[in-house]
Amino acid sequence: MVRAILCAGACVAASVLLAGAMKADGLSERARKLHFSCIVVDTHDDTTQRLLDGKFDLGTRTSAGSIDIPRMREGNVGAIFFSIWMPSKVTGPDAVNRAIVQIDAVREQVRKHPNDLVLATTAAEIRDAHKQGKIAALLGVEGGHMINSDLGVLRKFAALGVRYMTLTHSVNVAWADSSTDTSAHNGLTDFGKQVVREMNRLGMIVDISHVADKTFYDVLATSEAPVIASHSSCRALCNAARNMTDQMIKDLAAKGGVIQINYHIGFLSQEFRDAEKANPQIEKEIDAEVKKRCGEVEACQLLEKEKVLRGLVAQGKLPRVNWTRIIDHIDHAVKIAGAEHVGLGSDFDGANMPYGMDDASHLPQITNALLEKDYSESDIQKILGGNTLRVMEQAEATAKRLGGHP
Ligand SMILES: [Zn+2]
């Protein structure tokens, strides 16, 4: 708006130039060219839950949720880790079985869409998929509760193609503390350290999103390979226990790891968190409304919560969070740790997206914004996916050295 008013008076020539450089969606030609030449990797997506109802198919463009093949094409997603997730209250053999059902659901989508998707388990397979013009689908298990304290189950997940595991979700597991629970193990137990070592041997990346700070430091001391925070943001900008402190980001980077920035508004915006905290009743209202609409169906809950929240923003009861907060967190992490240690972990279809980043089709905006901040093309290429590919290669090399997979 400001630009339009200025140009109406004096900058006709400038506006002609601008029209030549920018398309209607606000992307510069340079940004478009760069974005569509990169392998864009998203390390955390929760669409798997939606596959379980048997009706949702990735091949059809919908307005619900954030991910399907057409919108991934529009945003040039090159590789996406589909999260295998269920609430932490599901435990024991039930958790193992439900994980296998979800892994199968992702693999079936790959089978149904051979022209668009290919299952990938290594960085080289992602690069091959890119050359063939396909989207690489990968698997990540979100929560150590799904291995039922059994390294044999962990090995089976690896054999089915799982390439990272988030050690905990929002509640402690029997061998690791979560950031959103009361400490029970002082970080990782001895068995937890065995899990990390076995993951190193299997070439499965250790994901420290969700874990307690002490668990994170135990992982850093134990793991022989670099680790990732598949979907975490910066605690200095938004004080959520799930986010990483500047020191943690530095220490993660010193070990070669990557923090993949999460787009969830509750992890991006302190203002939003404060507004929620100032009105404890509002969270109860949101939960009650979501339950009324969805009952216990988790995929429905994930999607409906977004609509309920946006209704409250429209009524002025909660602040509006703009997508550019994602850029603020990327930029902060880059300043702390360097462009080699930052990536993208959207949490699409599992969290509440900021305005302007409703789905994967909006991803080129990130490239555009980083160019506007004078990031080099090579740094942007690393942030979009190059860094995650590097960590995968390092995890694969560690596995080879330890005599394991792949
Ligand atoms: Zn998560």
Side-chain angles (χ1 to χ4, degrees):
M1 182 57 84
V2 173
R3 177 171 279 161
I5 290 165
L6 288 175
C7 285
C11 345
V12 177
S15 80
V16 169
L17 273 178
L18 198 67
M22 308 275 277
K23 288 271 164 63
D25 56 10
L27 294 182
S28 71
E29 273 309 311
R30 185 179 171 213
R32 184 183 304 282
K33 213 170 151 201
L34 174 60
H35 187 85
F36 283 86
S37 72
C38 289
I39 303 180
V40 180
V41 184
D42 183 344
T43 46
H44 198 87
D45 166 75
D46 276 308
T47 311
T48 314
Q49 289 287 311
R50 300 186 66 201
L51 300 173
L52 299 181
D53 71 8
K55 290 178 216 122
F56 177 70
D57 185 279
L58 284 172
T60 313
R61 193 185 204 288
T62 66
S63 56
S66 302
I67 290 287
D68 47 48
I69 290 167
R71 286 184 290 173
M72 284 196 280
R73 292 288 196 193
E74 287 167 35
N76 192 39
V77 173
I80 182 165
F81 280 85
F82 287 99
S83 174
I84 306 304
W85 174 85
M86 68 201 64
S88 308
K89 66 184 179 202
V90 184
T91 55
D94 193 21
V96 179
N97 291 338
R98 281 180 64 170
I100 289 168
V101 167
Q102 291 189 30
I103 291 168
D104 181 62
V106 174
R107 296 182 66 116
E108 279 295 280
Q109 284 293 309
V110 173
R111 190 172 67 84
K112 280 182 195 161
H113 300 288
N115 295 326
D116 292 300
L117 301 176
V118 61
L119 190 79
T121 58
T122 62
E125 286 172 2
I126 292 176
R127 293 185 204 281
D128 281 351
H130 182 72
K131 279 186 204 135
Q132 293 167 31
K134 293 181 186 177
I135 300 165
L138 294 101
L139 295 159
V141 163
E142 188 180 16
H145 54 300
M146 280 172 258
I147 66 166
N148 193 22
S149 297
D150 183 344
L151 295 180
V153 174
L154 180 71
R155 288 188 282 269
K156 284 190 189 88
F157 286 163
L160 288 170
V162 173
R163 280 301 174 267
Y164 78 66
M165 182 167 78
T166 321
L167 299 185
T168 74
H169 189 242
S170 52
V171 173
N172 298 342
V173 297
W175 42 269
D177 285 338
S178 166
S179 60
T180 42
D181 200 348
T182 315
S183 172
H185 311 297
N186 189 30
L188 273 183
T189 66
D190 285 344
F191 179 73
K193 289 172 190 166
Q194 275 187 55
V195 172
V196 168
R197 287 190 205 104
E198 189 65 353
M199 289 175 74
N200 287 161
R201 197 186 66 81
L202 292 166
M204 202 190 273
I205 302 171
V206 181
D207 175 21
I208 57 81
S209 282
H210 283 286
V211 306
D213 294 6
K214 177 63 166 58
T215 308
F216 164 75
Y217 279 106
D218 286 353
V219 168
L220 280 197
T222 308
S223 178
E224 294 200 33
V227 304
I228 59 169
S230 74
H231 59 310
S232 293
S233 299
C234 305
R235 213 181 289 172
L237 301 190
C238 180
N239 188 18
R242 267 278 280 105
N243 284 344
M244 298 181 77
T245 65
D246 287 356
Q247 192 59 50
M248 287 164 78
I249 295 170
K250 277 183 201 157
D251 294 337
L252 176 87
K255 183 122 189 173
V258 177
I259 174 174
Q260 284 99 353
I261 300 297
N262 186 319
Y263 311 165
H264 175 55
I265 52 177
F267 302 149
L268 291 177
S269 166
Q270 188 65 46
E271 192 194 0
F272 186 87
R273 283 189 87 77
D274 290 346
E276 267 192 325
K277 220 187 240 170
N279 186 352
Q281 194 53 34
I282 211 160
E283 202 162 349
K284 284 185 196 152
E285 278 172 35
I286 295 166
D287 286 347
E289 180 59 29
V290 169
K291 213 142 210 180
K292 199 171 104 192
R293 295 185 191 188
C294 301
E296 293 298 326
V297 182
E298 287 143 14
C300 171
Q301 290 176 350
L302 294 170
L303 297 186
E304 287 301 315
K305 187 170 178 188
E306 180 113 328
K307 291 184 197 156
V308 174
L309 282 177
R310 291 209 168 183
L312 291 166
V313 171
Q315 292 167 38
K317 290 184 179 169
L318 287 171
R320 186 185 156 103
V321 182
N322 193 274
W323 73 274
T324 52
R325 289 300 287 161
I326 299 167
I327 304 301
D328 297 342
H329 281 256
I330 291 173
D331 194 44
H332 181 80
V334 167
K335 285 194 175 111
I336 294 296
E340 286 74 29
H341 301 286
V342 183
L344 306 177
S346 67
D347 221 347
F348 277 141
D349 287 345
N352 307 115
M353 292 297 116
Y355 283 79
M357 190 52 70
D358 307 67
D359 60 38
S361 71
H362 292 267
L363 290 171
Q365 292 165 196
I366 292 178
T367 301
N368 198 70
L370 294 177
L371 279 174
E372 283 178 353
K373 273 188 159 323
D374 283 334
Y375 276 54
S376 71
E377 295 196 0
S378 114
D379 282 352
I380 293 171
Q381 176 267 332
K382 289 177 197 160
I383 293 164
L384 292 179
N387 292 332
T388 298
L389 291 172
R390 182 199 72 228
V391 171
M392 287 183 73
E393 280 160 356
Q394 287 169 307
E396 290 159 22
T398 303
K400 212 168 179 185
R401 183 166 59 77
L402 298 173
H405 284 283

